Amino acid sequence: MALAQPLQLPVDLDLFQGPFDLLLTLLLREEIDLFELPLADLVEDALGPTPIERWDLSTASELVVLLAALAELKARRLVGEQVDEEPDADALEARERLVARLVAYAPFQRAATWLLERFSANEGTRYRRAPLGLATPAPAPTEDPARLAGALNLLLMAPPEPSLSHLTSREVNMPALLNRLRNALTRGRSVSFEAIVAGKGVLEEAMTLIAALELARRGEATLHQEQAFGDIDITPTRGASA
Amino acid sequence: MSELGRQIEALLFLSPEPLSLRALAEMTDADATEISGALTELDERHSAVSALEVAEIAGGWALRTRADLAGVCDRLRERPPDDRLSPAALETLAVVAYLEPVSRPEISRLRGVQVDGTVSMLVERGFLQEDGRPEGGGAMRYRTTRTFQERFGLKGSSDLPPIERFELTGPEADALKARLSQAGHMDEDTDVG
Amino acid sequence: MSELGRQIEALLFLSPEPLSLRALAEMTDADATEISGALTELDERHSAVSALEVAEIAGGWALRTRADLAGVCDRLRERPPDDRLSPAALETLAVVAYLEPVSRPEISRLRGVQVDGTVSMLVERGFLQEDGRPEGGGAMRYRTTRTFQERFGLKGSSDLPPIERFELTGPEADALKARLSQAGHMDEDTDVG
């Protein structure tokens, strides 16, 4: 990597960050004419109320002393004076101190250039900044989502047809029972209720009883029961049957 | 990838800051050699095709997005409007990075300017932090931060070139002195006024 | 992996919350079909060996660590956070503890640095609390909390070690000195200089 050359700073008054920049520029870029530098403006900017970085007062005063001495030398030369002598002692001292500080500071200026390269080189990478709490890993599953589907499916299924098996396995209807009773009564003088319903289901038994009661109501038969819960004799009424 | 590699990937992914070898070792019950091996393995797996890379940075290891994806990343997370640093800010950072902990008056003396505003700005942007006052009182001293190391791609606070490398060479310093002595004595021919 | 896949990986990696298909599409200038394809591709690349997985969660897509790594992730979470007080925090706490109630501008003047960030952080961490504005208006003032006292093992707000040296001079310093003595933190005749 090439080291930044503090001796080759760009000449741009807006870029002066401090007295050292100005000093370097003045000393090392001879094409800047001292008289072209708006010295008063520089000093005012540097020490005024609103600079980004006000010049350190002692540094600024040393620089001003030096600049004044240089300006004086130059002015005398311009009017044709022979100028051999050194600037005055103050200016010499200021010069020594400034050079020493310049030499001491130069490494940091170069390091700043190195930092700038790093700054640019690392511009693209981005770090994750999610707080730890937010970055919850997937918890180990303790429930099977299939159970959810199962639960909903139960709600979505059509209800089963109610079973009629406990009621009857066969068609039972009243007109058929009445006809069966009437047929039985034509064959004998009387029939036993129990004989008729033997082997039938409870429902058919109950409906046969209702059919017998219906025949009695219509006057086609009489019912006789010897004792409670005993058999019932069903006897056709004389002349009632066809 | 090894189980240790997977564990390290998970840790680097979750951690909001770079993790040191030691921290990784503690959390995975592995030793430093194993960790280093797993980091290499992890980096190799990512290097081929991934948007991510394993980086040694700011005193530890981190997963980060690759530089070529900066464009799309900025669409998610806008960069601060002025991400640039002025020469004044860079020089101040250089002084602090090499001399830390160092106080504002010390930086000022070295730079020849008052640095209060610049230091405050650098603290605000997270590149500098306060580091206490010296025993016996005195000005607050500053040091660079982990953010500084991350942003400048430094592995740690000592990951800087030796300052000697930046010093003016003897001849350079002598030339400077000579030039200054000659200033005002420029050759009449070149002097057009 | 496709460039779109890489972009999406970077976005999911950086985002602290899941990103919707629409958000991903906007940031990558791709359409939903392309995004879905790239998500599948990304998931496949991660599924084989990675510690991470692409998950559709809470209305969007996210990268997250796999469930089988919960153990090591918990060890990261359980690590004691670095909650040491920075020098800036300690000094700010000291100013508030001895002078409370005290405003940010007052702390700032005494410390010679901006304290907004530090005060906010201390409020967030429960060491400081707001204590109202002075009669007639002015900046919000702060005082220390019970948490602060517990952390420092103090029995109460007046249970602070006495100030034994006071070297500042000037009108502001005199006012400061009066305030410290009134609060019982310093003897009237404490050595000046």
Tab-separated table of all heavy atoms in Angstrom, chain A residues 1 3 17 20 27-28 33 53-54 56 70 77 95 99 101 105 110 115 118-119 122 126-129 135, chain B residues 13-14 16 64-65 74 77 83 88 91 109 111-112 114 118 150-153 166-167 172 177 180 184 188:
chain	number	residue	atom	x	y	z
A	1	MET	N	0.841	-1.196	0.000
A	1	MET	CA	0.000	0.000	0.000
A	1	MET	C	0.878	1.249	0.000
A	1	MET	O	1.816	1.360	0.770
A	1	MET	CB	-0.866	0.002	1.252
A	1	MET	CG	-1.836	1.156	1.299
A	1	MET	SD	-2.478	1.407	2.979
A	1	MET	CE	-1.007	1.959	3.825
A	3	LEU	N	2.001	4.816	0.859
A	3	LEU	CA	1.742	5.731	1.959
A	3	LEU	C	1.246	7.054	1.402
A	3	LEU	O	1.687	7.503	0.350
A	3	LEU	CB	3.027	5.972	2.744
A	3	LEU	CG	3.431	4.872	3.705
A	3	LEU	CD1	4.671	5.280	4.456
A	3	LEU	CD2	2.297	4.588	4.684
A	17	GLN	N	-7.802	21.653	7.427
A	17	GLN	CA	-8.418	21.172	8.654
A	17	GLN	C	-7.728	21.753	9.863
A	17	GLN	O	-8.205	21.609	10.967
A	17	GLN	CB	-8.347	19.646	8.705
A	17	GLN	CG	-9.135	18.980	7.611
A	17	GLN	CD	-10.617	19.251	7.759
A	17	GLN	OE1	-11.124	19.324	8.873
A	17	GLN	NE2	-11.321	19.401	6.657
A	20	PHE	N	-1.647	22.838	10.528
A	20	PHE	CA	-0.589	22.044	9.907
A	20	PHE	C	-0.818	21.863	8.414
A	20	PHE	O	0.114	21.854	7.629
A	20	PHE	CB	-0.450	20.692	10.597
A	20	PHE	CG	-0.068	20.831	12.033
A	20	PHE	CD1	-0.650	20.046	12.998
A	20	PHE	CD2	0.874	21.783	12.421
A	20	PHE	CE1	-0.292	20.182	14.332
A	20	PHE	CE2	1.227	21.927	13.746
A	20	PHE	CZ	0.637	21.123	14.707
A	27	LEU	N	4.513	25.658	2.774
A	27	LEU	CA	5.931	25.355	2.685
A	27	LEU	C	6.266	24.517	1.479
A	27	LEU	O	7.324	24.650	0.890
A	27	LEU	CB	6.370	24.592	3.943
A	27	LEU	CG	6.215	25.357	5.243
A	27	LEU	CD1	6.735	24.514	6.381
A	27	LEU	CD2	6.951	26.680	5.160
A	28	LEU	N	5.371	23.627	1.155
A	28	LEU	CA	5.767	22.577	0.238
A	28	LEU	C	5.142	22.706	-1.137
A	28	LEU	O	5.509	21.995	-2.043
A	28	LEU	CB	5.422	21.228	0.865
A	28	LEU	CG	6.028	21.116	2.271
A	28	LEU	CD1	5.454	19.946	3.024
A	28	LEU	CD2	7.534	21.032	2.190
A	33	ASP	N	1.177	31.334	-3.846
A	33	ASP	CA	1.847	32.558	-3.472
A	33	ASP	C	1.266	33.073	-2.164
A	33	ASP	O	0.064	33.042	-1.954
A	33	ASP	CB	1.675	33.614	-4.559
A	33	ASP	CG	2.643	34.744	-4.333
A	33	ASP	OD1	2.419	35.513	-3.372
A	33	ASP	OD2	3.627	34.840	-5.087
A	53	GLU	N	-13.668	23.113	13.712
A	53	GLU	CA	-12.588	22.918	14.680
A	53	GLU	C	-11.795	24.211	14.781
A	53	GLU	O	-11.003	24.529	13.898
A	53	GLU	CB	-11.664	21.773	14.229
A	53	GLU	CG	-12.322	20.420	14.218
A	53	GLU	CD	-11.307	19.327	13.984
A	53	GLU	OE1	-10.508	19.462	13.043
A	53	GLU	OE2	-11.298	18.360	14.765
A	54	ARG	N	-12.025	24.950	15.836
A	54	ARG	CA	-11.222	26.152	16.045
A	54	ARG	C	-9.761	25.783	16.188
A	54	ARG	O	-9.440	24.798	16.853
A	54	ARG	CB	-11.635	26.775	17.366
A	54	ARG	CG	-12.504	27.957	17.247
A	54	ARG	CD	-12.537	28.541	18.635
A	54	ARG	NE	-13.764	29.283	18.806
A	54	ARG	CZ	-13.780	30.429	19.460
A	54	ARG	NH1	-12.662	30.889	20.006
A	54	ARG	NH2	-14.894	31.076	19.594
A	56	ASP	N	-6.252	25.658	17.664
A	56	ASP	CA	-5.667	25.760	18.989
A	56	ASP	C	-4.904	27.086	19.046
A	56	ASP	O	-4.115	27.402	18.145
A	56	ASP	CB	-4.727	24.561	19.173
A	56	ASP	CG	-3.904	24.671	20.429
A	56	ASP	OD1	-4.505	24.665	21.508
A	56	ASP	OD2	-2.674	24.744	20.306
A	70	LEU	N	7.434	35.558	7.100
A	70	LEU	CA	7.599	35.175	5.699
A	70	LEU	C	7.076	36.283	4.788
A	70	LEU	O	7.698	36.630	3.772
A	70	LEU	CB	6.855	33.863	5.414
A	70	LEU	CG	7.380	32.619	6.120
A	70	LEU	CD1	6.585	31.388	5.709
A	70	LEU	CD2	8.855	32.413	5.820
A	77	ARG	N	11.657	41.677	-0.522
A	77	ARG	CA	12.274	41.239	-1.760
A	77	ARG	C	11.571	41.858	-2.964
A	77	ARG	O	12.175	42.212	-3.965
A	77	ARG	CB	12.231	39.724	-1.848
A	77	ARG	CG	13.553	39.168	-2.329
A	77	ARG	CD	13.608	37.674	-2.334
A	77	ARG	NE	12.368	37.001	-2.548
A	77	ARG	CZ	11.760	36.258	-1.610
A	77	ARG	NH1	12.277	36.147	-0.417
A	77	ARG	NH2	10.642	35.647	-1.878
A	95	ARG	N	9.121	28.701	14.015
A	95	ARG	CA	9.361	27.780	12.917
A	95	ARG	C	9.846	26.423	13.439
A	95	ARG	O	9.349	25.371	13.030
A	95	ARG	CB	10.404	28.390	11.988
A	95	ARG	CG	10.625	27.605	10.731
A	95	ARG	CD	11.568	28.324	9.827
A	95	ARG	NE	12.939	28.219	10.298
A	95	ARG	CZ	13.962	28.920	9.777
A	95	ARG	NH1	13.735	29.819	8.844
A	95	ARG	NH2	15.179	28.747	10.227
A	99	VAL	N	7.760	22.970	13.015
A	99	VAL	CA	8.309	21.830	12.271
A	99	VAL	C	8.315	20.580	13.146
A	99	VAL	O	7.930	19.494	12.703
A	99	VAL	CB	9.725	22.141	11.755
A	99	VAL	CG1	10.385	20.854	11.260
A	99	VAL	CG2	9.662	23.146	10.631
A	101	ARG	N	6.367	19.878	15.572
A	101	ARG	CA	5.000	19.364	15.740
A	101	ARG	C	4.487	18.753	14.446
A	101	ARG	O	3.736	17.772	14.459
A	101	ARG	CB	4.099	20.487	16.228
A	101	ARG	CG	4.463	20.888	17.657
A	101	ARG	CD	3.584	21.973	18.157
A	101	ARG	NE	2.175	21.581	18.106
A	101	ARG	CZ	1.196	22.378	18.460
A	101	ARG	NH1	1.453	23.602	18.879
A	101	ARG	NH2	-0.041	21.977	18.391
A	105	TYR	N	3.177	15.063	14.028
A	105	TYR	CA	1.787	14.818	13.636
A	105	TYR	C	1.664	14.070	12.314
A	105	TYR	O	0.666	13.387	12.076
A	105	TYR	CB	1.027	16.156	13.560
A	105	TYR	CG	-0.449	15.955	13.338
A	105	TYR	CD1	-1.186	15.176	14.232
A	105	TYR	CD2	-1.097	16.505	12.245
A	105	TYR	CE1	-2.536	14.967	14.040
A	105	TYR	CE2	-2.444	16.305	12.042
A	105	TYR	CZ	-3.167	15.534	12.942
A	105	TYR	OH	-4.491	15.320	12.753
A	110	ARG	N	-0.995	10.398	8.049
A	110	ARG	CA	-0.863	9.250	7.148
A	110	ARG	C	-1.739	8.100	7.620
A	110	ARG	O	-2.354	7.401	6.814
A	110	ARG	CB	0.590	8.799	7.094
A	110	ARG	CG	1.463	9.725	6.290
A	110	ARG	CD	2.906	9.321	6.438
A	110	ARG	NE	3.726	9.776	5.332
A	110	ARG	CZ	5.019	9.502	5.222
A	110	ARG	NH1	5.618	8.765	6.142
A	110	ARG	NH2	5.700	9.939	4.195
A	115	LEU	N	-6.726	4.727	7.386
A	115	LEU	CA	-8.069	4.451	7.908
A	115	LEU	C	-9.126	4.684	6.838
A	115	LEU	O	-10.093	3.926	6.731
A	115	LEU	CB	-8.358	5.340	9.126
A	115	LEU	CG	-7.759	4.899	10.461
A	115	LEU	CD1	-8.083	5.920	11.542
A	115	LEU	CD2	-8.283	3.517	10.875
A	118	ARG	N	-9.414	1.756	4.709
A	118	ARG	CA	-10.141	0.677	5.379
A	118	ARG	C	-11.638	0.986	5.403
A	118	ARG	O	-12.470	0.101	5.226
A	118	ARG	CB	-9.652	0.517	6.831
A	118	ARG	CG	-8.190	0.251	6.965
A	118	ARG	CD	-7.846	-1.136	6.581
A	118	ARG	NE	-8.547	-2.128	7.401
A	118	ARG	CZ	-8.222	-3.396	7.467
A	118	ARG	NH1	-7.187	-3.843	6.780
A	118	ARG	NH2	-8.901	-4.238	8.204
A	119	PHE	N	-11.948	2.243	5.644
A	119	PHE	CA	-13.340	2.683	5.728
A	119	PHE	C	-14.049	2.363	4.418
A	119	PHE	O	-15.162	1.826	4.414
A	119	PHE	CB	-13.370	4.181	6.016
A	119	PHE	CG	-14.726	4.716	6.399
A	119	PHE	CD1	-15.299	4.404	7.613
A	119	PHE	CD2	-15.412	5.557	5.529
A	119	PHE	CE1	-16.529	4.916	7.972
A	119	PHE	CE2	-16.649	6.067	5.878
A	119	PHE	CZ	-17.209	5.749	7.103
A	122	ASN	N	-14.389	-1.475	3.677
A	122	ASN	CA	-15.346	-2.202	4.515
A	122	ASN	C	-16.735	-1.593	4.476
A	122	ASN	O	-17.538	-1.792	5.378
A	122	ASN	CB	-14.839	-2.272	5.955
A	122	ASN	CG	-13.666	-3.208	6.083
A	122	ASN	OD1	-13.834	-4.412	6.210
A	122	ASN	ND2	-12.457	-2.663	5.990
A	126	ARG	N	-22.341	-5.899	6.216
A	126	ARG	CA	-23.341	-5.518	7.209
A	126	ARG	C	-23.435	-6.605	8.282
A	126	ARG	O	-23.399	-7.795	7.952
A	126	ARG	CB	-24.722	-5.368	6.563
A	126	ARG	CG	-24.794	-4.349	5.468
A	126	ARG	CD	-24.881	-2.937	6.046
A	126	ARG	NE	-25.059	-1.985	4.969
A	126	ARG	CZ	-24.061	-1.503	4.240
A	126	ARG	NH1	-22.835	-1.889	4.477
A	126	ARG	NH2	-24.299	-0.642	3.288
A	127	TYR	N	-23.588	-6.168	9.512
A	127	TYR	CA	-23.703	-7.120	10.621
A	127	TYR	C	-25.147	-7.217	11.064
A	127	TYR	O	-25.897	-6.252	11.008
A	127	TYR	CB	-22.808	-6.683	11.783
A	127	TYR	CG	-21.349	-6.722	11.399
A	127	TYR	CD1	-20.751	-5.629	10.777
A	127	TYR	CD2	-20.595	-7.862	11.597
A	127	TYR	CE1	-19.424	-5.673	10.391
A	127	TYR	CE2	-19.272	-7.913	11.218
A	127	TYR	CZ	-18.686	-6.822	10.623
A	127	TYR	OH	-17.383	-6.869	10.234
A	128	ARG	N	-25.508	-8.411	11.525
A	128	ARG	CA	-26.853	-8.621	12.013
A	128	ARG	C	-26.957	-7.951	13.378
A	128	ARG	O	-26.084	-8.121	14.213
A	128	ARG	CB	-27.103	-10.124	12.154
A	128	ARG	CG	-28.537	-10.499	12.302
A	128	ARG	CD	-28.710	-11.979	12.021
A	128	ARG	NE	-30.110	-12.324	12.140
A	128	ARG	CZ	-30.666	-12.676	13.292
A	128	ARG	NH1	-29.939	-12.764	14.366
A	128	ARG	NH2	-31.953	-12.944	13.344
A	129	ARG	N	-28.002	-7.194	13.570
A	129	ARG	CA	-28.118	-6.479	14.830
A	129	ARG	C	-29.388	-6.857	15.580
A	129	ARG	O	-29.829	-6.131	16.448
A	129	ARG	CB	-28.108	-4.966	14.585
A	129	ARG	CG	-26.718	-4.436	14.290
A	129	ARG	CD	-25.892	-4.445	15.574
A	129	ARG	NE	-24.509	-4.084	15.300
A	129	ARG	CZ	-23.552	-4.956	15.061
A	129	ARG	NH1	-23.831	-6.250	15.071
A	129	ARG	NH2	-22.327	-4.564	14.818
A	135	ALA	N	-34.406	-13.211	18.265
A	135	ALA	CA	-33.977	-14.272	17.370
A	135	ALA	C	-34.299	-15.629	17.962
A	135	ALA	O	-33.450	-16.485	18.091
A	135	ALA	CB	-32.489	-14.145	17.101
B	13	PHE	N	-24.840	-16.607	14.242
B	13	PHE	CA	-26.061	-16.031	13.676
B	13	PHE	C	-26.825	-15.245	14.737
B	13	PHE	O	-27.272	-14.122	14.508
B	13	PHE	CB	-26.939	-17.154	13.120
B	13	PHE	CG	-28.302	-16.702	12.672
B	13	PHE	CD1	-28.464	-16.031	11.469
B	13	PHE	CD2	-29.422	-16.942	13.452
B	13	PHE	CE1	-29.717	-15.610	11.049
B	13	PHE	CE2	-30.679	-16.528	13.048
B	13	PHE	CZ	-30.824	-15.858	11.844
B	14	LEU	N	-26.944	-15.823	15.918
B	14	LEU	CA	-27.789	-15.212	16.946
B	14	LEU	C	-27.107	-14.047	17.662
B	14	LEU	O	-27.758	-13.089	18.048
B	14	LEU	CB	-28.174	-16.251	17.999
B	14	LEU	CG	-29.217	-17.277	17.586
B	14	LEU	CD1	-29.492	-18.206	18.762
B	14	LEU	CD2	-30.495	-16.601	17.132
B	16	PRO	N	-25.574	-10.775	18.863
B	16	PRO	CA	-25.564	-9.409	18.346
B	16	PRO	C	-24.162	-8.805	18.310
B	16	PRO	O	-23.999	-7.702	17.832
B	16	PRO	CB	-26.478	-8.642	19.311
B	16	PRO	CG	-26.580	-9.476	20.518
B	16	PRO	CD	-26.126	-10.876	20.200
B	64	ARG	N	-21.484	-12.115	8.630
B	64	ARG	CA	-21.929	-10.834	8.085
B	64	ARG	C	-22.251	-11.018	6.609
B	64	ARG	O	-21.854	-12.015	6.001
B	64	ARG	CB	-20.844	-9.773	8.282
B	64	ARG	CG	-19.589	-10.051	7.485
B	64	ARG	CD	-18.510	-9.004	7.743
B	64	ARG	NE	-17.349	-9.255	6.892
B	64	ARG	CZ	-16.165	-8.677	7.063
B	64	ARG	NH1	-15.986	-7.824	8.059
B	64	ARG	NH2	-15.166	-8.927	6.255
B	65	THR	N	-22.949	-10.071	6.048
B	65	THR	CA	-23.264	-10.162	4.622
B	65	THR	C	-22.049	-9.719	3.821
B	65	THR	O	-21.235	-8.924	4.278
B	65	THR	CB	-24.463	-9.272	4.251
B	65	THR	OG1	-24.141	-7.920	4.568
B	65	THR	CG2	-25.705	-9.672	5.029
B	74	ASP	N	-29.014	-2.110	1.893
B	74	ASP	CA	-29.397	-0.739	2.221
B	74	ASP	C	-30.884	-0.497	1.980
B	74	ASP	O	-31.461	0.429	2.537
B	74	ASP	CB	-28.569	0.254	1.404
B	74	ASP	CG	-27.148	0.361	1.935
B	74	ASP	OD1	-26.935	-0.037	3.094
B	74	ASP	OD2	-26.271	0.835	1.203
B	77	ARG	N	-32.227	-1.640	5.356
B	77	ARG	CA	-31.800	-0.866	6.521
B	77	ARG	C	-31.082	0.344	5.969
B	77	ARG	O	-29.960	0.247	5.516
B	77	ARG	CB	-30.845	-1.730	7.332
B	77	ARG	CG	-30.692	-1.318	8.751
B	77	ARG	CD	-30.154	-2.446	9.579
B	77	ARG	NE	-28.764	-2.739	9.286
B	77	ARG	CZ	-28.089	-3.766	9.804
B	77	ARG	NH1	-28.691	-4.590	10.612
B	77	ARG	NH2	-26.838	-3.966	9.519
B	83	ASP	N	-22.682	9.063	5.789
B	83	ASP	CA	-21.861	7.996	6.334
B	83	ASP	C	-20.382	8.349	6.212
B	83	ASP	O	-19.527	7.645	6.711
B	83	ASP	CB	-22.175	6.702	5.566
B	83	ASP	CG	-21.480	5.506	6.177
B	83	ASP	OD1	-21.413	5.452	7.414
B	83	ASP	OD2	-20.982	4.664	5.423
B	88	ALA	N	-10.857	15.755	9.169
B	88	ALA	CA	-10.680	16.065	10.595
B	88	ALA	C	-11.086	14.880	11.454
B	88	ALA	O	-10.397	14.512	12.411
B	88	ALA	CB	-11.508	17.296	10.964
B	91	GLU	N	-8.532	12.018	11.085
B	91	GLU	CA	-7.278	12.281	11.807
B	91	GLU	C	-7.485	12.124	13.307
B	91	GLU	O	-6.639	11.578	14.015
B	91	GLU	CB	-6.763	13.682	11.473
B	91	GLU	CG	-6.182	13.754	10.064
B	91	GLU	CD	-5.676	15.140	9.691
B	91	GLU	OE1	-5.393	15.947	10.605
B	91	GLU	OE2	-5.569	15.413	8.484
B	109	ARG	N	-3.809	19.295	21.365
B	109	ARG	CA	-2.436	19.745	21.309
B	109	ARG	C	-1.726	19.125	20.111
B	109	ARG	O	-0.982	19.769	19.404
B	109	ARG	CB	-1.707	19.393	22.614
B	109	ARG	CG	-0.540	20.313	22.900
B	109	ARG	CD	-0.033	20.098	24.308
B	109	ARG	NE	-1.116	20.022	25.279
B	109	ARG	CZ	-1.242	19.058	26.190
B	109	ARG	NH1	-0.343	18.101	26.263
B	109	ARG	NH2	-2.251	19.062	27.037
B	111	ARG	N	-3.134	17.899	17.348
B	111	ARG	CA	-3.677	18.278	16.037
B	111	ARG	C	-3.611	19.774	15.788
B	111	ARG	O	-3.808	20.215	14.646
B	111	ARG	CB	-5.120	17.793	15.911
B	111	ARG	CG	-5.232	16.273	15.805
B	111	ARG	CD	-6.566	15.855	15.195
B	111	ARG	NE	-6.845	16.635	14.014
B	111	ARG	CZ	-8.022	17.168	13.732
B	111	ARG	NH1	-9.033	16.982	14.533
B	111	ARG	NH2	-8.184	17.873	12.634
B	112	GLY	N	-3.409	20.577	16.823
B	112	GLY	CA	-3.337	22.018	16.621
B	112	GLY	C	-4.692	22.683	16.471
B	112	GLY	O	-4.769	23.830	16.058
B	114	GLN	N	-8.950	22.775	18.204
B	114	GLN	CA	-9.822	22.314	19.265
B	114	GLN	C	-10.731	21.222	18.711
B	114	GLN	O	-11.339	21.406	17.661
B	114	GLN	CB	-10.636	23.473	19.804
B	114	GLN	CG	-9.743	24.458	20.550
B	114	GLN	CD	-10.509	25.658	21.019
B	114	GLN	OE1	-11.733	25.611	21.155
B	114	GLN	NE2	-9.804	26.745	21.256
B	118	THR	N	-15.600	17.645	17.076
B	118	THR	CA	-15.288	16.419	16.341
B	118	THR	C	-15.396	15.198	17.248
B	118	THR	O	-15.966	14.168	16.868
B	118	THR	CB	-13.869	16.516	15.742
B	118	THR	OG1	-13.799	17.693	14.942
B	118	THR	CG2	-13.565	15.310	14.887
B	150	GLU	N	-15.442	-2.659	13.706
B	150	GLU	CA	-16.269	-3.313	12.692
B	150	GLU	C	-16.302	-2.500	11.408
B	150	GLU	O	-16.142	-3.034	10.315
B	150	GLU	CB	-17.695	-3.506	13.213
B	150	GLU	CG	-17.812	-4.622	14.209
B	150	GLU	CD	-19.236	-4.808	14.711
B	150	GLU	OE1	-20.109	-3.966	14.362
B	150	GLU	OE2	-19.476	-5.757	15.447
B	151	ARG	N	-16.514	-1.200	11.580
B	151	ARG	CA	-16.678	-0.360	10.389
B	151	ARG	C	-15.382	-0.255	9.591
B	151	ARG	O	-15.410	-0.123	8.371
B	151	ARG	CB	-17.176	1.022	10.819
B	151	ARG	CG	-17.484	1.960	9.679
B	151	ARG	CD	-18.605	1.410	8.810
B	151	ARG	NE	-18.809	2.244	7.645
B	151	ARG	CZ	-18.096	2.157	6.524
B	151	ARG	NH1	-17.129	1.261	6.447
B	151	ARG	NH2	-18.323	2.948	5.509
B	152	PHE	N	-14.251	-0.334	10.283
B	152	PHE	CA	-12.967	-0.223	9.600
B	152	PHE	C	-12.345	-1.597	9.346
B	152	PHE	O	-11.210	-1.689	8.895
B	152	PHE	CB	-12.003	0.663	10.407
B	152	PHE	CG	-12.345	2.121	10.321
B	152	PHE	CD1	-13.336	2.666	11.113
B	152	PHE	CD2	-11.697	2.951	9.422
B	152	PHE	CE1	-13.677	4.006	11.027
B	152	PHE	CE2	-12.024	4.302	9.328
B	152	PHE	CZ	-13.023	4.820	10.134
B	153	GLY	N	-13.098	-2.654	9.660
B	153	GLY	CA	-12.614	-3.995	9.365
B	153	GLY	C	-11.382	-4.389	10.158
B	153	GLY	O	-10.507	-5.080	9.639
B	166	PHE	N	4.302	4.921	9.560
B	166	PHE	CA	3.756	6.161	9.023
B	166	PHE	C	4.653	7.364	9.313
B	166	PHE	O	4.375	8.471	8.873
B	166	PHE	CB	2.369	6.428	9.607
B	166	PHE	CG	1.350	5.401	9.205
B	166	PHE	CD1	0.614	4.726	10.168
B	166	PHE	CD2	1.121	5.113	7.868
B	166	PHE	CE1	-0.331	3.794	9.792
B	166	PHE	CE2	0.170	4.179	7.494
B	166	PHE	CZ	-0.555	3.510	8.460
B	167	GLU	N	5.682	7.123	10.124
B	167	GLU	CA	6.524	8.274	10.479
B	167	GLU	C	7.289	8.778	9.273
B	167	GLU	O	7.618	8.017	8.359
B	167	GLU	CB	7.502	7.874	11.591
B	167	GLU	CG	6.858	7.922	12.955
B	167	GLU	CD	7.750	7.340	14.034
B	167	GLU	OE1	8.901	6.976	13.714
B	167	GLU	OE2	7.281	7.246	15.173
B	172	GLU	N	12.997	12.689	4.996
B	172	GLU	CA	11.754	13.452	4.797
B	172	GLU	C	11.640	14.579	5.806
B	172	GLU	O	11.288	15.717	5.475
B	172	GLU	CB	10.538	12.533	4.910
B	172	GLU	CG	10.188	11.796	3.631
B	172	GLU	CD	9.052	10.795	3.850
B	172	GLU	OE1	8.940	10.234	4.965
B	172	GLU	OE2	8.297	10.575	2.906
B	177	LYS	N	12.377	20.422	7.235
B	177	LYS	CA	13.052	21.509	7.957
B	177	LYS	C	13.762	22.439	6.979
B	177	LYS	O	13.689	23.665	7.089
B	177	LYS	CB	14.057	20.943	8.953
B	177	LYS	CG	13.398	20.413	10.208
B	177	LYS	CD	14.411	19.751	11.131
B	177	LYS	CE	13.721	18.766	12.059
B	177	LYS	NZ	14.637	17.818	12.665
B	180	LEU	N	11.435	24.668	5.154
B	180	LEU	CA	10.918	25.751	5.987
B	180	LEU	C	11.963	26.841	6.183
B	180	LEU	O	11.640	28.025	6.220
B	180	LEU	CB	10.468	25.177	7.337
B	180	LEU	CG	9.701	26.125	8.244
B	180	LEU	CD1	8.602	26.833	7.464
B	180	LEU	CD2	9.084	25.368	9.402
B	184	GLY	N	10.493	31.934	2.133
B	184	GLY	CA	10.753	33.355	2.169
B	184	GLY	C	12.055	33.723	1.501
B	184	GLY	O	12.354	34.880	1.285
B	188	GLU	N	15.073	34.111	-6.772
B	188	GLU	CA	14.530	35.308	-7.412
B	188	GLU	C	13.886	34.985	-8.760
B	188	GLU	O	12.882	35.570	-9.136
B	188	GLU	CB	15.652	36.346	-7.626
B	188	GLU	CG	16.268	36.841	-6.341
B	188	GLU	CD	15.474	37.981	-5.740
B	188	GLU	OE1	14.734	38.639	-6.474
B	188	GLU	OE2	15.588	38.211	-4.513
